[in-house]
Amino acid sequence: MTTEDQLVRDIAVEVPGATAVFRRHKIDFCCKGGVPLSEAAATRGVDVNSLIAELSGLRGEAVEAPSETPDLIAYILERYHEVHRREFPEAIRMARRVEAVHRDSPDCPQGLGDLLAVMAHELDEHQAREEAVLFPAMLNGAPFDLSFPIRRMLMEHDDLGDQLETLGKLTTDFLPPPGACTTWRALYAACQKLDTDLRMHMHLENNVLFPRFSGNLAGDARD
Ligand SMILES: [Fe+2]
Ligand SMILES: [Fe+2]
């Protein structure tokens, strides 16, 4: 639970997505982040309670996925597709900044911005295909054989899994180096959130949704 006494920089690290909220309210979470949220809000003329409500909304309480297919698809779209679309741009922005400011540090995650940009682009196309073809077909009772499009989605999930491995290596499993600045720490927290969400998203599709239309393709060799 976010409180008005918490330091802005701590919230920026602990709450993925908080940096975007702070930027929107022009609250400095990097160089001047060592102040309580109440003070930062007052400085910017923002109502601290509405700010807390906004930040609390980011916490993404664990919600059990619904079981009925239409509800499950709606849940995947809202909880994962839309959330990834919202969170990738901020992570890319922070990665570019960290790489520019700390390029001489041996711990600098060189190439992280490019990796995230490629992931975001490929995921965008992948999700668009699910939204345009696969999910509508599932909602219409699978009027044609879905095993080919599902196999393709599974292969793309595999590629994304490889990219997540690279993401973990580049960020030393989301552990920032000692003394890392707030943006750097917020970047790794955002990457960890992306990793967690993407893995849960793929789990729901591979292991819950897709087998309803294809048997257990997720467990098969896919080449
Ligand atoms: Fe998806
Ligand atoms: Fe997918």
Side-chain angles (χ1 to χ4, degrees):
M1 178 70 193
T2 304
T3 68
E4 62 176 28
D5 298 327
Q6 274 183 289
L7 300 185
V8 168
R9 67 177 175 218
D10 291 341
I11 298 169
V13 172
E14 289 169 19
V15 184
T19 53
V21 173
F22 288 147
R23 284 200 307 119
R24 196 158 59 243
H25 292 291
K26 299 197 182 335
I27 289 174
D28 185 342
F29 60 88
C30 193
C31 303
K32 294 171 188 155
V35 298
L37 186 65
S38 55
E39 185 179 324
T43 303
R44 286 293 169 195
V46 179
D47 174 43
V48 71
N49 289 322
S50 63
L51 189 58
I52 287 171
E54 204 174 337
L55 291 165
S56 299
L58 295 171
R59 284 190 177 269
E61 300 286 320
V63 177
E64 203 164 312
S67 54
E68 295 299 316
T69 294
D71 295 339
L72 178 59
I73 287 174
Y75 174 77
I76 287 171
L77 291 174
E78 185 189 336
R79 173 60 185 84
Y80 295 105
H81 285 213
E82 289 308 317
V83 171
H84 301 324
R85 284 194 183 104
R86 233 176 18 238
E87 293 185 355
F88 261 104
E90 178 69 4
I92 293 166
R93 190 196 68 79
M94 287 192 287
R96 301 264 190 238
R97 176 156 180 80
V98 166
E99 286 186 72
V101 173
H102 301 285
R103 60 184 173 276
D104 295 331
S105 164
D107 297 314
C108 181
Q110 297 283 357
L112 181 55
D114 285 346
L115 172 68
L116 290 169
V118 168
M119 289 174 71
H121 175 71
E122 292 181 359
L123 184 68
D124 211 43
E125 295 190 338
H126 172 85
Q127 293 190 153
R129 275 193 289 276
E130 288 177 339
E131 291 166 17
V133 180
L134 188 57
F135 290 174
M138 289 174 169
L139 292 170
N140 282 326
F144 54 90
D145 182 7
L146 298 186
S147 53
F148 175 76
I150 286 177
R151 277 182 190 277
R152 179 170 180 181
M153 294 303 115
L154 290 172
M155 284 193 284
E156 291 176 359
H157 289 178
D158 284 351
D159 292 341
L160 185 55
D162 292 342
Q163 290 168 326
L164 288 176
E165 291 304 309
T166 306
L167 182 67
K169 288 196 184 102
L170 264 180
T171 59
T172 48
D173 286 328
F174 315 111
L175 195 68
C181 70
T182 303
T183 302
W184 201 334
R185 290 186 291 142
L187 166 65
Y188 281 16
C191 287
Q192 187 163 30
K193 164 87 163 34
L194 284 170
D195 179 272
T196 303
D197 279 358
L198 285 165
R199 289 180 192 280
M200 185 55 67
H201 176 182
M202 290 191 286
H203 161 72
L204 285 177
E205 292 178 351
N206 285 15
N207 302 326
V208 182
L209 180 63
F210 292 176
R212 295 178 185 176
F213 297 90
S214 63
N216 190 25
L217 284 178
D220 297 346
R222 298 198 277 275
D223 48 6

